[in-house]
Amino acid sequence: MSEFVVCGRLLDTLALREATAEVAALRIDAEGVIVERAPDGTDAFDALRLRDDAIVLPPDHVLIAGLSDLHIHAPQWPQAGQALDRPLEDWLGAYTFPLEARYADPAFAKAVYADLVLSLLACGTTSALYFSTIHEEASLELARACLAHGQRGFVGLVAMDDPGLCPPDYRHASAREALDATRRFIAAVRALPGNDRGLVQPVITPRFIPACSDALLEGLGALARETGVRVQTHASESDWAHQHVIERLGCTDSEALDRFGLLRPHTVLAHANFIDRDDRDRIRARDAAVAHCPISNAYFANSVLPLREILDEGVRCGLGTDIAGGYTPSIFENARQAVTSSRLRESGVDAGKPPALRGGVAGARVDFLEAFYLATRGGAEALGVSAGALRPGMMFDAVAIAGRRGHLRLQDDDTAATLVQKIVCHAGRETIVRVWVDGRAIKLKSDE
Amino acid sequence: MSEFVVCGRLLDTLALREATAEVAALRIDAEGVIVERAPDGTDAFDALRLRDDAIVLPPDHVLIAGLSDLHIHAPQWPQAGQALDRPLEDWLGAYTFPLEARYADPAFAKAVYADLVLSLLACGTTSALYFSTIHEEASLELARACLAHGQRGFVGLVAMDDPGLCPPDYRHASAREALDATRRFIAAVRALPGNDRGLVQPVITPRFIPACSDALLEGLGALARETGVRVQTHASESDWAHQHVIERLGCTDSEALDRFGLLRPHTVLAHANFIDRDDRDRIRARDAAVAHCPISNAYFANSVLPLREILDEGVRCGLGTDIAGGYTPSIFENARQAVTSSRLRESGVDAGKPPALRGGVAGARVDFLEAFYLATRGGAEALGVSAGALRPGMMFDAVAIAGRRGHLRLQDDDTAATLVQKIVCHAGRETIVRVWVDGRAIKLKSDE
């Protein structure tokens, strides 16, 4: 690819409660990096806009940074929007584990993963942090799908060896086997044809502490230290999981992961609903991050994440869909649920009690600007990707939104804060018209 | 119009936790009434399917009953997805009332209302119960928009005369003026050209008790009795509104409305978050109904509706978007939020407390089948419309959904319950391909 220019109305955010909207031109170099940003009214803007390689967006379009999905189970895509009324044990045992076991068949995986990656890109998700399954070939198919369709993919071969918790036909036979598989997978992803720029990265992925032996967790920590590969896992998701770790290891998930060497820069902890102040301090100190999955949490976490505290204390955080514990592949829909759930966390839920006894947490609300930050820049920072805003030095991962399509009714005089709120509330697949990842234009699947 | 046939995969529900999916043919007579339903495998099906006037839906499509929106403020459409982070007083005083005051200009109203009615139809909302403003001409424009585009519209000229609560430039000058205006509006809607079938109906609409004098409420009750026109109002929405009525009138909203003669068959009470068992008994006894607006409630009602109790006790209920207290015109998105909010009502929200002290209400959850019922048959029953399912004797208000578009991935072997859950979780404007109201095919606006 060669250098090019994109001109249009830009909307992005570099900090929690701030957003900038302006007409500007971006110059993107041959490596996909934004190397210049010139606002309308400058000579530089005029010069860029007139170039032959300038893509000039229509005036009713808005260009935002691409979205990051920090937690998604790729193999559960066929199950999205199913069985959420089941208890977690039943959901896992009768639905999820049997489905995941089918990925022993790489052909099955290939068809599902192509559809998923294309669906996420159509939703504006330019970076995704995936759990796959324990199957190496199927997991490589996921990595290949990301490469083929141009998504920034972080792909985790799942490691799980605990015979008590995992089904006999769907687990690694031993810690050693899981460690060997993870090591092979890291090498295989790095060596994939077409991955010379590292668009797709392997991720060390213990499913969650209850599904892994101490030996496996220790070995994965050592492997992370040795290879520098990112780590992801579930942490403190539900009352059950949180207590299970305390009883087994005498400490919370974050402390246990830290001891095993798994709480590292850009380690992403999915859910983390039950983390306390000490956990948050530890996560921040290690430069790790939380993947907030607000829709899934309403179904399987028995509570709402203390997001207000996470943001106020400067803990890295982004959003996850948690397909299929959450039903939607849309980060926008999760962003609005993050705001909505934070309001219920603030007020409490039981109208039969007076406000002070309703179980709410004073001051818990987060706003739409914060949710937009989490969806874009927050997610990229959690992953350690130089993206998430439209600024010089960052990779050009971007999404063009048609401003008067679907439910959206953007106006020329909308402030940045209003644009953000309207986009978080109304944007979705049907309003997304162009997507770029790593400076490359994505060929979106037409939705016939 | 003349008789015609529609063949395809039909999905509907006549009771709370039941749904039926089958391939069948419907025969719709010249009056728009379903007069025959023949399942695949019968001679009648074969005969209907071969008729020249048969519309045969593609095999991946699903036909459901049209959706009802039981609470929507039409004039607030330009404000959808804005200012939800403001306190209610500020939201009303600085945003909502000034916007509503602009509808003194019928031309402004005409443009907004055409866009709104077309947007709702595109979302599958075949019946809508509207609050307009105090402006008669603008409110007639809303009624005309429903007629022009073919939506079943229930349009309420808002009555509000309390000088303490209403802004000076946006209220009726007296109870008498509000009553005269309401009477004129009822006659004008009934006499609208093209409304001979009564597709659009006027609705008596005291904004809420705090905004209305006793004289106005009494007069509107008498007018309802005299004319038989439906009634809608807000009831027991927030702590503030609920307490305000108790302090002013010594009883709850439902009792006060009953005394004023406003709690009648098919009276729709918007929100009703703070109703207790006595209120629910009264609402059921009067054959009135609740419009549940789960998104809006998270922002302005400080709690979650006791929906489980409402359903278990047989109180009529449907869903409302509450544009612009809620941001989305989609009843599907409100249906899934109804389920999600019910889960948080069950669990409580504060992860810092043990489960038993988390403020939840045991057994509060509702499921997706129930949400689907509320969106379709529940809404139609609340309004007293013979629709909401695809059964002989009902009006043909229906929506065809493309089963593998957007986020939807319907399978041929999905059970009725699975189809329902996937549709509630994933359906939206982009998956809706055809809409009929009153037996008439709607010309949907293309989403360029």
Side-chain angles (χ1 to χ4, degrees):
Chain A
M1 91 176 232
S2 53
E3 184 174 283
F4 67 104
V5 167
V6 178
C7 292
R9 195 175 183 190
L10 272 47
L11 176 69
D12 68 353
T13 172
L14 287 165
L16 266 185
R17 271 172 292 275
E18 292 167 21
T20 304
E22 64 174 2
V23 174
L26 298 176
R27 180 162 59 89
I28 294 105
D29 74 9
E31 298 301 308
V33 176
I34 301 169
V35 287
E36 183 179 0
R37 175 173 166 142
D40 189 14
T42 63
D43 292 345
F45 176 85
D46 294 339
L48 288 173
R49 194 182 189 288
L50 292 172
R51 282 170 51 150
D52 288 343
D53 58 11
I55 297 166
V56 180
L57 299 176
D60 68 338
H61 282 33
V62 172
L63 189 74
I64 66 169
L67 310 179
S68 289
D69 186 341
L70 293 189
H71 185 55
I72 174 165
H73 292 270
Q76 296 174 23
W77 176 232
Q79 188 175 299
Q82 279 188 73
L84 293 175
D85 50 346
R86 300 306 180 98
L88 180 59
E89 316 81 75
D90 189 22
W91 185 83
L92 280 173
Y95 290 83
T96 305
F97 285 155
L99 173 60
E100 291 198 11
R102 292 181 64 188
Y103 290 78
D105 174 10
F108 178 71
K110 188 169 182 172
V112 171
Y113 291 158
D115 183 50
L116 172 60
V117 170
L118 286 167
S119 295
L120 291 181
L121 285 166
C123 292
T125 301
T126 52
S127 290
L129 176 56
Y130 292 105
F131 273 59
S132 66
T133 61
I134 66 172
H135 310 100
E136 293 169 60
E137 187 51 35
S139 303
L140 283 173
E141 287 294 353
L142 176 55
R144 288 187 194 106
C146 294
L147 282 174
H149 301 297
Q151 188 182 44
R152 206 179 283 287
F154 300 85
V155 180
L157 179 82
V158 174
M160 49 197 278
D161 70 336
D162 183 279
L165 195 116
C166 307
D169 61 337
Y170 183 52
R171 66 174 176 92
H172 289 108
S174 66
R176 173 52 43 209
E177 191 182 298
L179 289 167
D180 289 348
T182 300
R183 187 180 288 276
R184 280 192 302 272
F185 183 71
I186 291 169
V189 170
R190 289 175 165 173
L192 278 178
N195 199 22
D196 43 299
R197 290 173 50 85
L199 187 71
V200 177
Q201 295 285 329
V203 182
I204 291 172
T205 307
R207 189 174 195 114
F208 65 149
I209 291 175
C212 300
S213 65
D214 286 9
L216 176 53
L217 295 164
E218 271 165 26
L220 291 174
L223 192 60
R225 199 163 45 246
E226 173 194 332
T227 59
V229 163
R230 287 175 182 78
V231 175
Q232 66 177 337
T233 190
H234 299 89
S236 300
E237 177 177 3
S238 65
D239 288 301
W240 174 85
H242 184 60
Q243 289 303 323
H244 183 96
V245 173
I246 290 173
E247 281 161 29
R248 175 172 141 198
L249 298 171
C251 62
T252 63
D253 282 68
S254 80
E255 187 174 347
L257 293 167
D258 199 30
R259 287 188 202 158
F260 289 121
L262 289 163
L263 197 67
R264 296 165 47 82
H266 309 297
T267 290
V268 174
L269 304 181
H271 306 296
N273 281 59
F274 291 93
I275 57 174
D276 62 15
R277 179 67 194 247
D278 289 342
D279 293 311
R280 295 194 295 269
D281 287 346
R282 188 176 296 111
I283 295 165
R284 188 184 54 245
R286 293 292 179 263
D287 206 15
V290 170
H292 180 31
C293 310
I295 294 177
S296 168
N297 290 349
Y299 291 88
F300 295 116
N302 326 115
S303 66
V304 177
L305 179 76
L307 180 58
R308 178 74 272 147
E309 293 85 335
I310 285 172
L311 299 181
D312 289 346
E313 296 165 16
V315 180
R316 288 197 196 287
C317 187
L319 296 170
T321 60
D322 192 28
I323 291 285
Y327 44 77
T328 181
S330 166
I331 285 293
F332 284 126
E333 190 161 350
N334 276 279
R336 43 193 186 258
Q337 186 66 48
V339 180
T340 300
S341 289
S342 81
R343 298 293 286 253
L344 292 175
R345 181 169 181 256
E346 179 171 287
S347 67
V349 292
D350 185 356
K353 298 211 178 85
L357 301 177
R358 208 166 278 158
V361 178
R365 69 176 61 185
V366 302
D367 68 22
F368 293 94
L369 280 168
E370 291 170 319
F372 183 70
Y373 177 86
L374 294 174
T376 55
R377 181 67 184 144
E381 285 190 315
L383 288 167
V385 172
S386 177
L390 302 170
R391 301 291 163 157
M394 292 190 184
M395 304 302 303
F396 187 63
D397 291 4
V399 173
I401 292 173
R404 297 189 63 79
R405 190 179 290 199
H407 305 161
L408 264 183
R409 297 289 181 276
L410 303 186
Q411 303 293 342
D412 292 344
D413 59 353
D414 282 341
T415 64
T418 296
L419 290 173
V420 161
Q421 186 165 340
K422 285 182 174 178
I423 286 172
V424 170
C425 286
H426 295 307
R429 181 177 174 138
E430 74 282 9
T431 62
I432 291 171
V433 284
R434 303 177 82 148
V435 176
W436 291 264
V437 179
D438 212 31
R440 271 70 178 171
I442 300 299
K443 187 168 160 39
L444 296 177
K445 188 171 66 165
S446 79
D447 196 19
E448 74 296 344
Chain B
M1 106 178 217
S2 54
E3 185 173 284
F4 67 104
V5 166
V6 178
C7 292
R9 196 175 184 191
L10 272 45
L11 176 70
D12 67 355
T13 172
L14 287 165
L16 266 185
R17 272 171 292 273
E18 293 168 21
T20 305
E22 64 174 2
V23 174
L26 299 176
R27 180 161 60 88
I28 295 106
D29 73 9
E31 299 300 308
V33 177
I34 302 169
V35 289
E36 184 179 359
R37 174 172 168 143
D40 189 14
T42 62
D43 291 344
F45 175 87
D46 295 338
L48 288 174
R49 194 181 188 289
L50 292 172
R51 283 171 49 151
D52 288 342
D53 57 11
I55 297 165
V56 180
L57 298 176
D60 68 340
H61 283 32
V62 172
L63 189 74
I64 66 169
L67 310 178
S68 289
D69 185 341
L70 294 189
H71 185 53
I72 176 165
H73 291 270
Q76 296 174 24
W77 176 232
Q79 188 176 298
Q82 280 187 71
L84 292 174
D85 49 346
R86 301 306 179 99
L88 180 58
E89 315 81 75
D90 189 23
W91 186 82
L92 280 172
Y95 291 83
T96 305
F97 285 154
L99 173 60
E100 291 199 10
R102 291 182 63 188
Y103 290 77
D105 174 9
F108 178 72
K110 189 170 183 172
V112 171
Y113 291 157
D115 183 50
L116 172 61
V117 170
L118 286 165
S119 294
L120 291 181
L121 286 165
C123 291
T125 301
T126 51
S127 291
L129 175 56
Y130 291 105
F131 272 59
S132 66
T133 60
I134 66 172
H135 310 99
E136 293 169 61
E137 188 51 35
S139 302
L140 283 174
E141 288 295 353
L142 176 55
R144 287 187 195 107
C146 294
L147 282 174
H149 301 297
Q151 189 183 43
R152 206 179 283 287
F154 299 85
V155 180
L157 179 81
V158 174
M160 50 198 277
D161 69 337
D162 183 279
L165 195 116
C166 308
D169 61 337
Y170 184 52
R171 67 172 174 91
H172 290 106
S174 66
R176 173 52 42 205
E177 190 182 297
L179 290 167
D180 289 348
T182 301
R183 187 179 288 274
R184 280 192 302 270
F185 183 70
I186 292 169
V189 170
R190 289 175 165 172
L192 278 177
N195 199 22
D196 43 300
R197 291 173 49 84
L199 188 71
V200 178
Q201 294 285 329
V203 182
I204 290 171
T205 306
R207 189 170 195 119
F208 66 148
I209 291 176
C212 301
S213 65
D214 286 11
L216 176 53
L217 295 165
E218 270 166 27
L220 291 173
L223 192 61
R225 199 162 47 246
E226 174 194 329
T227 60
V229 163
R230 287 173 181 79
V231 175
Q232 66 178 337
T233 191
H234 300 89
S236 301
E237 177 177 1
S238 64
D239 287 300
W240 175 84
H242 185 59
Q243 288 305 323
H244 183 96
V245 173
I246 291 173
E247 283 163 29
R248 173 172 143 197
L249 297 170
C251 64
T252 64
D253 283 67
S254 80
E255 188 175 345
L257 293 167
D258 199 29
R259 287 188 202 159
F260 288 121
L262 290 163
L263 197 67
R264 297 165 47 82
H266 309 299
T267 288
V268 175
L269 304 181
H271 306 296
N273 280 60
F274 291 92
I275 57 174
D276 62 15
R277 179 66 193 249
D278 289 342
D279 292 312
R280 296 194 294 269
D281 287 347
R282 189 176 295 113
I283 295 165
R284 188 183 56 245
R286 293 289 180 264
D287 206 15
V290 170
H292 179 31
C293 310
I295 293 177
S296 168
N297 290 350
Y299 292 87
F300 294 115
N302 326 115
S303 67
V304 178
L305 180 77
L307 180 58
R308 179 73 271 146
E309 293 85 333
I310 285 173
L311 299 181
D312 289 346
E313 295 165 15
V315 180
R316 288 196 195 290
C317 188
L319 296 170
T321 59
D322 192 28
I323 294 286
Y327 44 75
T328 181
S330 166
I331 284 293
F332 284 126
E333 189 161 351
N334 275 280
R336 42 193 186 259
Q337 186 64 48
V339 180
T340 299
S341 289
S342 81
R343 298 294 285 255
L344 292 176
R345 181 170 181 255
E346 179 171 288
S347 65
V349 291
D350 185 357
K353 299 211 177 85
L357 302 177
R358 207 165 280 158
V361 179
R365 69 176 61 185
V366 302
D367 67 22
F368 292 94
L369 281 168
E370 292 170 318
F372 183 69
Y373 177 87
L374 293 174
T376 55
R377 182 66 183 144
E381 285 190 315
L383 289 166
V385 173
S386 176
L390 302 169
R391 301 293 162 155
M394 290 189 185
M395 303 303 303
F396 187 62
D397 291 3
V399 173
I401 292 172
R404 297 187 64 79
R405 190 179 289 198
H407 307 159
L408 265 182
R409 297 290 181 274
L410 303 186
Q411 303 293 341
D412 292 346
D413 59 353
D414 282 340
T415 63
T418 295
L419 290 174
V420 161
Q421 185 165 340
K422 286 181 173 178
I423 286 173
V424 170
C425 286
H426 295 307
R429 180 177 174 137
E430 74 283 9
T431 62
I432 291 173
V433 285
R434 303 178 81 149
V435 176
W436 292 265
V437 180
D438 211 32
R440 270 72 178 172
I442 301 299
K443 186 167 161 42
L444 295 177
K445 188 171 64 166
S446 80
D447 198 17
E448 75 293 351

